[in-house]
Amino acid sequence: MFQRILIANRGEIALRIIRACRELGIQSVAVYSEADRGAHYLDLADEAYCIGRPASTDSYLMINRIISAAEIGNVQAIHPGYGFLAENAHFAEVCRSCNIEFIGPPHEAMAKLGDKVSAREIADEARVHVVPGSDGLITDEKQALEVAARIGYPVLIKATAGGGGRGMRVAHNDISLKTGLKAASAEAEKAFKNAGVYLEKYIERPRHIEVQVLADHEGEVVHLWERDCTMQRRHQKLVEEAPAAHLPLSVREDICKAAVRLIKAAHYTNAGTVEFIVDKDNQFYFIEVNARIQVEHPVSEMITGVDLIAQQIRVASGEPLPFKQRGIPCNGAAIELRVNAEDPDNDFRGCPGTITKLRVPGGLGVRFDSHVHEGYRISPYYDSMIGKLIVYKPTREQALACMRRALDEFVIEGVKTTLPLAKKIFNHSAFVEGTVDTTFIERTW
Ligand code: MV4
């Protein structure tokens, strides 16, 4: 097991990893930018190094400075968290070349799955349903028109180096397909230095279901059931829950088994998430793999009792998974709300500022994963998430009642937040009945 781990991240996930280290008896080395100097969570790390100015490109994204801090801190491993360098295969490779364990998948698997066309090929190999679409990259307009004629409009143009909705365009006919191809390629070249695009049939108003997986170095792969992430706005998830309440058990089991097959075929290790979309007939299609721990990992921890960050650290240190699939239960219901410092009346623009009053809810089944405190200044340099309110109860109905009660207690002053919108969501019949789709928030509010 490692003696010291560097956390190459900030905020609530840095605190989450520090906590896991402390419980495992591992020393933690934190890094921070000048904007995060003085944040209380840094006091819980054994050491903390300033690695640069506030902008991420001058701090948390600077591989050489992260590695320097790792050398100075004399660590054996680096946990990247999510965002920043978490899915940067080059960073994972640099860690390996410096004899520092990267707490995540091998850079080879990360790179293969990061290329969405190659991920689709791996899915095919693993007999996992993919959305009908092009067989590989689109190389010319004629090919694109033939694919569209075969699968039927509307079609989605996707960047092979994209993901998370970045670089996606919908085409409803040949004209918009031609213009969309040019625009999508140009955007992809600019954003990802890779103009490659592919086509998929556009599944309208889908459910967004993702499966948490854990894989060790001995080829053992388990799933920790699924999460329903359908409640999102412009690809920013707002509410996640586990399990997916309104999906038949047979569909849930098929999706989870498909995810395990795909992860095995990709020779993936550590924690990852396999993303699917589900249509109105409960037909599911593989979309992409998120080769990192995700913001919403706590809902899977609550229903299975597995500490995912601790398991990531154990797997990275070479330990075999301590459980088989039959030993991973799916008990109760968990719902997570991302609490963001955003102004719903101003197109959800980030709303930096200082938290002048904070009253966090508590009680049985209430968890608030957050690094903030009264007097904390929400920085304009990073994402606007204040924390994650997670509730866990034996049934979804009880979890909903608990979420509503917790939201009534929750007080945050000094910045505008998504709390008022959250109260509307959890009282909306469509959410309670589970009839929402990924466009619900935009359509309803
Ligand atoms: C799709 C899709 C419908 N049809 N692919 C969005 C980002 C990435 N996670 C995959 N995403 C989607 N891929 C096909 N063929 C719907 C989504 C999607 C989505 C699309 C638009 C607006 C919000 C969305 C939320 C989740 C998934």
Side-chain angles (χ1 to χ4, degrees), residues 356-435:
T356 53
K357 186 175 179 183
L358 181 66
R359 297 287 181 275
V360 174
L364 180 60
V366 178
R367 168 179 167 180
F368 184 54
D369 278 18
S370 175
H371 58 299
V372 309
H373 45 81
E374 280 190 359
Y376 180 82
R377 173 160 166 59
I378 307 275
S379 172
Y381 288 97
Y382 314 112
D383 72 41
S384 59
M385 193 166 75
I386 290 174
K388 305 161 334 190
L389 176 60
I390 301 113
V391 298
Y392 173 68
K393 290 288 181 183
T395 67
R396 185 176 189 259
E397 192 182 352
Q398 289 168 299
L400 266 172
C402 182
M403 177 64 85
R404 293 186 191 114
R405 186 272 296 169
L407 286 172
D408 285 344
E409 286 179 30
F410 212 153
V411 175
I412 302 178
E413 290 177 4
V415 290
K416 289 186 179 176
T417 72
T418 46
L419 286 177
L421 170 63
K423 291 178 181 175
K424 293 179 191 168
I425 289 172
F426 293 114
N427 285 297
H428 197 290
S429 56
F431 182 80
V432 178
E433 290 146 21
T435 56

Coordinates of all heavy atoms in Angstrom, one line a residue, residues 356-435:
T356 N -21.8 34.1 2.9 CA -21.9 34.8 4.1 C -22.7 34.0 5.2 O -22.5 34.3 6.4 CB -22.6 36.2 3.9 OG1 -23.9 35.8 3.2 CG2 -21.8 37.1 3.0
K357 N -23.5 33.1 4.7 CA -24.3 32.3 5.7 C -24.4 30.9 5.1 O -24.7 30.8 4.0 CB -25.6 32.9 6.0 CG -26.4 32.2 7.1 CD -27.7 33.0 7.4 CE -28.6 32.3 8.5 NZ -29.9 33.0 8.7
L358 N -24.2 29.9 5.9 CA -24.3 28.5 5.5 C -24.9 27.7 6.6 O -24.4 27.6 7.7 CB -22.9 28.0 5.1 CG -22.8 26.5 4.6 CD1 -23.5 26.4 3.2 CD2 -21.3 26.1 4.5
R359 N -26.1 27.1 6.3 CA -26.7 26.2 7.2 C -27.0 24.9 6.5 O -27.8 24.8 5.6 CB -28.1 26.8 7.7 CG -28.0 28.1 8.5 CD -27.4 27.8 9.9 NE -27.4 29.1 10.6 CZ -26.3 29.9 10.6 NH1 -25.3 29.6 9.7 NH2 -26.3 31.0 11.2
V360 N -26.1 23.9 6.8 CA -26.1 22.6 6.0 C -27.1 21.6 6.7 O -27.1 21.5 7.9 CB -24.7 22.0 6.0 CG1 -24.7 20.6 5.4 CG2 -23.8 22.9 5.3
P361 N -28.0 21.0 5.9 CA -28.9 20.0 6.5 C -28.2 18.8 7.0 O -27.1 18.5 6.6 CB -29.8 19.7 5.3 CG -29.1 20.0 4.1 CD -28.2 21.1 4.5
G362 N -28.9 18.0 7.9 CA -28.3 16.8 8.4 C -29.4 15.8 8.7 O -30.4 15.8 8.1
G363 N -29.0 14.9 9.6 CA -30.0 13.9 10.0 C -29.7 12.6 9.3 O -28.9 12.5 8.4
L364 N -30.5 11.6 9.6 CA -30.3 10.2 9.1 C -30.4 10.2 7.6 O -31.4 10.7 7.0 CB -31.4 9.3 9.7 CG -31.3 7.8 9.2 CD1 -30.0 7.2 9.6 CD2 -32.5 7.0 9.8
G365 N -29.4 9.7 6.9 CA -29.4 9.6 5.4 C -29.1 10.8 4.7 O -29.3 10.9 3.5
V366 N -28.5 11.9 5.4 CA -28.2 13.1 4.6 C -26.6 13.3 4.6 O -26.0 13.2 5.7 CB -28.8 14.3 5.3 CG1 -28.4 15.6 4.6 CG2 -30.3 14.2 5.3
R367 N -26.1 13.5 3.5 CA -24.6 13.6 3.3 C -24.4 14.9 2.4 O -25.1 15.0 1.4 CB -24.1 12.4 2.6 CG -22.6 12.5 2.1 CD -22.2 11.1 1.5 NE -20.9 11.3 0.7 CZ -20.3 10.3 0.1 NH1 -20.9 9.0 0.1 NH2 -19.2 10.4 -0.6
F368 N -23.5 15.8 2.9 CA -23.2 16.9 2.0 C -21.7 16.9 1.8 O -20.9 17.1 2.7 CB -23.6 18.2 2.7 CG -23.4 19.5 1.9 CD1 -23.9 19.6 0.6 CD2 -22.6 20.6 2.4 CE1 -23.7 20.7 -0.1 CE2 -22.4 21.7 1.7 CZ -23.0 21.8 0.4
D369 N -21.3 16.6 0.6 CA -19.8 16.5 0.2 C -19.4 17.9 -0.3 O -19.9 18.3 -1.4 CB -19.6 15.5 -0.9 CG -19.5 14.1 -0.3 OD1 -19.9 13.9 0.8 OD2 -18.9 13.2 -1.0
S370 N -18.7 18.6 0.5 CA -18.4 20.0 0.1 C -17.1 20.5 0.8 O -16.8 20.0 1.9 CB -19.5 20.9 0.4 OG -19.2 22.3 0.2
H371 N -16.4 21.4 0.2 CA -15.2 22.0 0.8 C -15.5 23.4 1.3 O -14.6 24.1 1.8 CB -14.2 22.1 -0.3 CG -14.6 22.9 -1.5 ND1 -15.7 22.5 -2.3 CD2 -14.1 24.0 -2.1 CE1 -15.9 23.4 -3.3 NE2 -14.9 24.3 -3.2
V372 N -16.8 23.9 1.1 CA -17.0 25.3 1.5 C -17.3 25.5 2.9 O -17.6 24.5 3.7 CB -18.1 25.9 0.6 CG1 -17.8 25.7 -0.9 CG2 -19.5 25.5 1.0
H373 N -17.3 26.7 3.4 CA -17.6 27.1 4.8 C -18.1 28.6 4.8 O -17.9 29.2 3.7 CB -16.4 26.9 5.6 CG -15.1 27.5 5.0 ND1 -14.8 28.8 5.1 CD2 -14.2 26.9 4.2 CE1 -13.7 29.1 4.4 NE2 -13.3 27.9 3.9
E374 N -18.6 29.1 5.8 CA -18.9 30.5 5.9 C -17.7 31.3 5.7 O -16.6 31.0 6.3 CB -19.6 30.8 7.2 CG -21.1 30.4 7.2 CD -21.8 30.9 8.4 OE1 -21.2 31.6 9.3 OE2 -23.1 30.6 8.5
G375 N -17.8 32.3 4.8 CA -16.6 33.1 4.6 C -15.8 32.6 3.4 O -14.9 33.3 2.9
Y376 N -16.2 31.4 2.8 CA -15.5 30.9 1.7 C -15.8 31.7 0.4 O -17.0 32.1 0.2 CB -15.9 29.4 1.5 CG -15.2 28.8 0.3 CD1 -14.0 28.2 0.4 CD2 -15.8 28.7 -1.0 CE1 -13.3 27.6 -0.6 CE2 -15.2 28.1 -2.1 CZ -13.9 27.6 -1.9 OH -13.3 27.0 -3.0
R377 N -14.8 32.0 -0.4 CA -15.0 32.7 -1.6 C -15.1 31.8 -2.8 O -14.1 31.1 -3.1 CB -13.9 33.8 -1.8 CG -13.9 34.5 -3.1 CD -13.2 35.8 -3.1 NE -13.0 36.2 -4.5 CZ -14.0 36.5 -5.4 NH1 -15.3 36.3 -4.9 NH2 -13.8 36.9 -6.6
I378 N -16.2 31.8 -3.5 CA -16.4 30.9 -4.7 C -15.6 31.6 -5.8 O -15.9 32.8 -6.1 CB -17.9 30.8 -5.1 CG1 -18.8 30.4 -4.0 CG2 -18.0 29.9 -6.3 CD1 -18.9 28.9 -3.7
S379 N -14.6 30.9 -6.3 CA -13.7 31.5 -7.3 C -14.3 31.5 -8.7 O -15.0 30.6 -9.1 CB -12.4 30.7 -7.3 OG -11.6 31.2 -8.4
P380 N -14.1 32.6 -9.5 CA -14.6 32.6 -10.8 C -13.7 31.8 -11.8 O -14.0 31.6 -12.9 CB -14.4 34.1 -11.2 CG -13.4 34.6 -10.3 CD -13.4 33.8 -9.1
Y381 N -12.6 31.2 -11.2 CA -11.6 30.5 -12.1 C -12.0 29.0 -12.3 O -11.5 28.4 -13.2 CB -10.2 30.5 -11.4 CG -9.6 31.9 -11.5 CD1 -9.7 32.8 -10.5 CD2 -9.0 32.3 -12.7 CE1 -9.1 34.1 -10.6 CE2 -8.4 33.6 -12.8 CZ -8.5 34.4 -11.7 OH -7.9 35.7 -11.8
Y382 N -12.9 28.5 -11.5 CA -13.2 27.1 -11.6 C -14.7 26.8 -11.7 O -15.5 27.8 -11.7 CB -12.6 26.3 -10.4 CG -11.2 26.8 -10.0 CD1 -10.9 27.5 -8.9 CD2 -10.2 26.5 -11.0 CE1 -9.6 28.0 -8.7 CE2 -8.9 27.0 -10.7 CZ -8.6 27.7 -9.6 OH -7.4 28.2 -9.3
D383 N -15.1 25.6 -11.8 CA -16.6 25.3 -11.9 C -17.3 25.8 -10.7 O -16.6 26.1 -9.6 CB -16.8 23.9 -12.2 CG -16.6 23.0 -11.0 OD1 -17.0 23.4 -9.8 OD2 -16.0 21.9 -11.1
S384 N -18.6 26.0 -10.8 CA -19.3 26.8 -9.8 C -19.9 25.9 -8.7 O -20.7 26.3 -8.0 CB -20.4 27.5 -10.5 OG -21.3 26.6 -11.1
M385 N -19.4 24.6 -8.7 CA -20.1 23.7 -7.7 C -19.7 24.0 -6.3 O -18.5 24.1 -6.0 CB -19.8 22.2 -8.1 CG -20.7 21.3 -7.3 SD -20.6 19.6 -8.0 CE -19.1 19.1 -7.4
I386 N -20.7 24.2 -5.4 CA -20.4 24.4 -4.0 C -20.3 23.1 -3.3 O -19.5 23.0 -2.4 CB -21.7 25.2 -3.4 CG1 -21.7 26.6 -4.0 CG2 -21.7 25.2 -1.9 CD1 -22.9 27.4 -3.6
G387 N -21.1 22.1 -3.7 CA -21.0 20.8 -3.1 C -22.2 19.9 -3.6 O -22.9 20.4 -4.5
K388 N -22.2 18.7 -3.0 CA -23.2 17.8 -3.5 C -24.1 17.3 -2.3 O -23.5 16.9 -1.3 CB -22.5 16.6 -4.1 CG -21.6 17.0 -5.3 CD -20.6 16.0 -5.7 CE -20.0 15.0 -4.8 NZ -18.9 14.2 -5.3
L389 N -25.4 17.5 -2.4 CA -26.3 17.1 -1.3 C -26.8 15.7 -1.7 O -27.4 15.5 -2.8 CB -27.4 18.0 -1.2 CG -28.5 17.7 -0.1 CD1 -27.9 17.6 1.3 CD2 -29.6 18.7 -0.2
I390 N -26.4 14.7 -0.9 CA -26.8 13.3 -1.2 C -27.7 12.8 -0.1 O -27.5 13.0 1.1 CB -25.6 12.4 -1.3 CG1 -24.6 12.9 -2.3 CG2 -26.0 10.9 -1.5 CD1 -23.3 13.3 -1.7
V391 N -28.9 12.2 -0.5 CA -29.7 11.6 0.5 C -29.9 10.1 0.2 O -29.8 9.7 -1.0 CB -31.1 12.2 0.6 CG1 -31.1 13.7 1.0 CG2 -31.9 12.1 -0.8
Y392 N -30.0 9.3 1.3 CA -30.1 7.9 1.1 C -31.1 7.3 2.0 O -31.1 7.5 3.2 CB -28.7 7.2 1.4 CG -28.8 5.7 1.4 CD1 -29.0 5.0 0.2 CD2 -28.6 5.0 2.6 CE1 -29.1 3.7 0.2 CE2 -28.7 3.6 2.6 CZ -29.0 2.9 1.4 OH -29.1 1.6 1.3
K393 N -32.1 6.6 1.5 CA -33.2 6.0 2.3 C -33.5 4.6 1.7 O -33.2 4.3 0.6 CB -34.4 6.9 2.2 CG -34.3 8.2 3.0 CD -34.3 8.0 4.5 CE -34.2 9.3 5.2 NZ -34.1 9.1 6.7
P394 N -34.3 3.8 2.4 CA -34.7 2.5 1.9 C -35.5 2.5 0.6 O -35.4 1.6 -0.2 CB -35.5 1.9 3.1 CG -35.0 2.6 4.3 CD -34.7 4.0 3.8
T395 N -36.3 3.5 0.4 CA -37.1 3.6 -0.8 C -36.9 5.0 -1.5 O -36.5 5.9 -0.8 CB -38.6 3.4 -0.5 OG1 -39.0 4.6 0.2 CG2 -38.9 2.2 0.3
R396 N -37.2 5.0 -2.8 CA -37.1 6.3 -3.5 C -38.0 7.4 -3.0 O -37.7 8.5 -2.8 CB -37.3 6.1 -5.0 CG -37.1 7.3 -5.9 CD -37.2 7.0 -7.3 NE -36.8 8.1 -8.2 CZ -37.6 9.0 -8.8 NH1 -39.0 8.9 -8.5 NH2 -37.2 10.0 -9.5
E397 N -39.2 6.9 -2.6 CA -40.2 7.8 -2.1 C -39.7 8.5 -0.8 O -39.7 9.7 -0.6 CB -41.5 7.0 -1.8 CG -42.7 7.9 -1.5 CD -44.0 7.0 -1.2 OE1 -43.9 5.8 -1.4 OE2 -45.0 7.6 -0.8
Q398 N -39.1 7.6 0.1 CA -38.5 8.2 1.3 C -37.3 9.1 1.0 O -37.2 10.1 1.7 CB -38.1 7.0 2.3 CG -39.2 6.2 2.9 CD -38.7 4.9 3.5 OE1 -38.1 4.1 2.8 NE2 -38.9 4.8 4.8
A399 N -36.5 8.7 0.0 CA -35.4 9.6 -0.3 C -35.9 10.9 -0.8 O -35.3 12.0 -0.5 CB -34.5 8.8 -1.4
L400 N -36.9 10.9 -1.6 CA -37.5 12.2 -2.1 C -38.0 13.1 -1.0 O -37.7 14.3 -0.9 CB -38.6 11.9 -3.1 CG -38.3 11.8 -4.6 CD1 -39.5 11.3 -5.4 CD2 -37.9 13.2 -5.1
A401 N -38.7 12.4 0.0 CA -39.2 13.2 1.1 C -38.0 13.8 1.9 O -38.0 14.9 2.4 CB -40.0 12.3 2.0
C402 N -36.9 13.0 2.0 CA -35.7 13.4 2.8 C -35.1 14.6 2.0 O -34.7 15.6 2.6 CB -34.8 12.2 2.9 SG -33.3 12.6 3.8
M403 N -35.0 14.5 0.7 CA -34.4 15.6 -0.1 C -35.2 16.8 0.1 O -34.6 17.9 0.3 CB -34.3 15.1 -1.6 CG -33.8 16.2 -2.5 SD -32.0 16.6 -2.2 CE -31.2 15.3 -3.1
R404 N -36.5 16.7 0.0 CA -37.3 17.9 0.2 C -37.1 18.6 1.6 O -36.9 19.8 1.7 CB -38.8 17.6 0.0 CG -39.2 17.2 -1.4 CD -40.7 17.0 -1.6 NE -41.0 16.3 -2.9 CZ -41.5 15.1 -2.9 NH1 -41.8 14.4 -1.8 NH2 -41.8 14.5 -4.1
R405 N -37.1 17.7 2.6 CA -36.9 18.2 4.0 C -35.5 18.9 4.1 O -35.3 19.9 4.6 CB -37.0 17.0 4.9 CG -37.0 17.4 6.4 CD -35.6 17.4 7.0 NE -34.9 16.1 7.0 CZ -33.6 15.9 7.2 NH1 -32.8 16.9 7.5 NH2 -33.1 14.7 7.2
A406 N -34.5 18.2 3.5 CA -33.1 18.7 3.6 C -33.0 20.1 2.9 O -32.4 21.0 3.4 CB -32.1 17.7 3.0
L407 N -33.7 20.2 1.7 CA -33.6 21.5 1.0 C -34.3 22.6 1.8 O -33.9 23.7 1.7 CB -34.3 21.3 -0.4 CG -33.5 20.5 -1.4 CD1 -34.3 20.2 -2.6 CD2 -32.2 21.3 -1.8
D408 N -35.4 22.2 2.5 CA -36.0 23.2 3.3 C -35.1 23.8 4.4 O -35.2 24.9 4.8 CB -37.3 22.6 4.0 CG -38.4 22.5 3.0 OD1 -38.3 23.1 1.9 OD2 -39.4 21.7 3.2
E409 N -34.2 22.9 4.9 CA -33.3 23.3 6.0 C -32.1 24.1 5.4 O -31.5 24.9 6.1 CB -32.7 22.1 6.7 CG -33.6 21.4 7.6 CD -32.9 20.1 8.2 OE1 -31.7 20.2 8.4 OE2 -33.6 19.2 8.4
F410 N -31.8 23.9 4.1 CA -30.5 24.3 3.6 C -30.5 25.9 3.4 O -31.5 26.4 2.8 CB -30.3 23.7 2.2 CG -28.9 23.4 1.9 CD1 -28.5 22.4 1.0 CD2 -27.8 24.2 2.4 CE1 -27.2 22.1 0.6 CE2 -26.5 23.9 2.1 CZ -26.2 22.9 1.2
V411 N -29.5 26.5 4.0 CA -29.4 28.0 3.8 C -28.1 28.3 3.2 O -27.0 27.9 3.8 CB -29.7 28.8 5.1 CG1 -29.4 30.3 4.9 CG2 -31.1 28.5 5.6
I412 N -28.0 29.0 2.1 CA -26.7 29.5 1.6 C -27.0 31.0 1.2 O -27.9 31.3 0.4 CB -26.2 28.8 0.3 CG1 -26.1 27.3 0.6 CG2 -24.9 29.4 -0.2 CD1 -25.6 26.4 -0.6
E413 N -26.3 31.9 1.8 CA -26.4 33.3 1.5 C -25.1 33.9 1.0 O -24.0 33.4 1.4 CB -27.0 34.1 2.7 CG -28.4 33.7 3.0 CD -29.0 34.5 4.2 OE1 -28.2 35.3 4.8 OE2 -30.1 34.1 4.6
G414 N -25.2 34.9 0.2 CA -24.0 35.6 -0.3 C -23.7 35.3 -1.8 O -23.1 36.0 -2.5
V415 N -24.3 34.1 -2.3 CA -24.2 33.8 -3.7 C -25.6 33.3 -4.1 O -26.3 32.7 -3.3 CB -23.1 32.8 -4.0 CG1 -21.7 33.3 -3.9 CG2 -23.3 31.5 -3.2
K416 N -25.9 33.4 -5.4 CA -27.2 32.8 -5.9 C -26.8 31.3 -6.1 O -25.7 31.0 -6.5 CB -27.6 33.5 -7.1 CG -28.2 34.9 -6.9 CD -28.7 35.6 -8.1 CE -29.3 36.9 -7.8 NZ -29.8 37.6 -9.0
T417 N -27.8 30.5 -5.9 CA -27.5 29.0 -6.1 C -28.7 28.4 -6.9 O -29.7 29.0 -7.1 CB -27.4 28.3 -4.8 OG1 -28.7 28.2 -4.2 CG2 -26.5 29.0 -3.8
T418 N -28.5 27.1 -7.2 CA -29.5 26.3 -7.9 C -30.5 25.7 -6.9 O -31.3 24.9 -7.3 CB -28.8 25.2 -8.6 OG1 -27.8 24.5 -7.8 CG2 -28.1 25.7 -9.9
L419 N -30.4 26.1 -5.6 CA -31.3 25.5 -4.6 C -32.8 25.8 -4.9 O -33.6 24.8 -4.9 CB -31.0 26.0 -3.2 CG -29.8 25.4 -2.5 CD1 -29.5 26.0 -1.2 CD2 -29.8 23.9 -2.4
P420 N -33.2 27.0 -5.3 CA -34.6 27.2 -5.6 C -35.1 26.3 -6.8 O -36.2 25.7 -6.7 CB -34.6 28.7 -6.0 CG -33.5 29.3 -5.4 CD -32.4 28.2 -5.4
L421 N -34.3 26.1 -7.8 CA -34.6 25.3 -9.0 C -34.8 23.8 -8.5 O -35.7 23.1 -8.8 CB -33.6 25.3 -10.1 CG -33.8 24.3 -11.2 CD1 -35.1 24.5 -11.9 CD2 -32.6 24.4 -12.2
A422 N -33.9 23.4 -7.6 CA -33.9 22.1 -7.0 C -35.2 21.8 -6.4 O -35.8 20.7 -6.5 CB -32.7 21.8 -6.1
K423 N -35.7 22.7 -5.6 CA -37.0 22.5 -4.9 C -38.1 22.3 -5.9 O -39.0 21.4 -5.7 CB -37.3 23.7 -4.0 CG -36.3 23.9 -2.8 CD -36.6 25.1 -2.0 CE -35.6 25.2 -0.8 NZ -35.7 26.4 0.0
K424 N -38.1 23.0 -7.0 CA -39.1 22.8 -8.0 C -39.0 21.4 -8.7 O -40.0 20.7 -8.9 CB -39.0 23.9 -9.2 CG -39.2 25.3 -8.7 CD -39.0 26.3 -9.9 CE -39.0 27.7 -9.5 NZ -38.5 28.6 -10.7
I425 N -37.7 21.0 -8.9 CA -37.5 19.7 -9.6 C -38.1 18.6 -8.7 O -38.9 17.7 -9.2 CB -36.0 19.5 -9.8 CG1 -35.5 20.4 -11.0 CG2 -35.8 18.0 -10.2 CD1 -34.0 20.3 -11.2
F426 N -37.8 18.6 -7.4 CA -38.2 17.5 -6.5 C -39.6 17.5 -6.2 O -40.1 16.6 -5.5 CB -37.3 17.4 -5.3 CG -35.9 17.1 -5.6 CD1 -34.8 18.0 -5.4 CD2 -35.5 15.9 -6.2 CE1 -33.5 17.7 -5.7 CE2 -34.2 15.5 -6.5 CZ -33.2 16.5 -6.3
N427 N -40.3 18.6 -6.6 CA -41.8 18.6 -6.4 C -42.5 18.5 -7.7 O -43.7 18.6 -7.7 CB -42.1 20.0 -5.7 CG -41.8 19.9 -4.2 OD1 -42.3 19.1 -3.4 ND2 -40.8 20.8 -3.8
H428 N -41.8 18.2 -8.8 CA -42.5 18.1 -10.1 C -42.9 16.7 -10.3 O -42.1 15.8 -10.1 CB -41.5 18.6 -11.2 CG -42.2 18.9 -12.5 ND1 -42.8 17.9 -13.2 CD2 -42.5 20.1 -13.1 CE1 -43.4 18.5 -14.3 NE2 -43.2 19.8 -14.2
S429 N -44.2 16.5 -10.7 CA -44.7 15.2 -10.9 C -43.9 14.3 -11.9 O -43.7 13.2 -11.7 CB -46.1 15.3 -11.4 OG -46.1 16.0 -12.6
A430 N -43.3 15.0 -12.9 CA -42.6 14.2 -13.9 C -41.3 13.6 -13.3 O -41.0 12.5 -13.6 CB -42.1 15.1 -15.1
F431 N -40.7 14.3 -12.4 CA -39.5 13.7 -11.7 C -40.0 12.6 -10.8 O -39.4 11.5 -10.8 CB -38.7 14.8 -10.9 CG -37.5 14.2 -10.3 CD1 -36.4 14.0 -11.0 CD2 -37.5 13.8 -9.0 CE1 -35.2 13.5 -10.4 CE2 -36.4 13.2 -8.4 CZ -35.3 13.0 -9.1
V432 N -41.0 12.9 -10.0 CA -41.5 11.8 -9.1 C -41.9 10.6 -9.8 O -41.5 9.5 -9.5 CB -42.7 12.4 -8.3 CG1 -43.2 11.3 -7.3 CG2 -42.3 13.6 -7.5
E433 N -42.6 10.8 -11.0 CA -43.0 9.6 -11.8 C -41.9 9.0 -12.7 O -42.1 7.9 -13.2 CB -44.2 10.0 -12.6 CG -45.5 10.3 -11.9 CD -46.3 11.4 -12.5 OE1 -46.2 11.6 -13.7 OE2 -47.1 12.0 -11.8
G434 N -40.8 9.7 -12.8 CA -39.7 9.2 -13.6 C -40.0 9.3 -15.1 O -39.5 8.5 -15.9
T435 N -40.8 10.3 -15.5 CA -41.1 10.4 -17.0 C -40.2 11.5 -17.6 O -40.5 12.0 -18.7 CB -42.6 10.8 -17.2 OG1 -42.8 12.0 -16.5 CG2 -43.5 9.7 -16.7

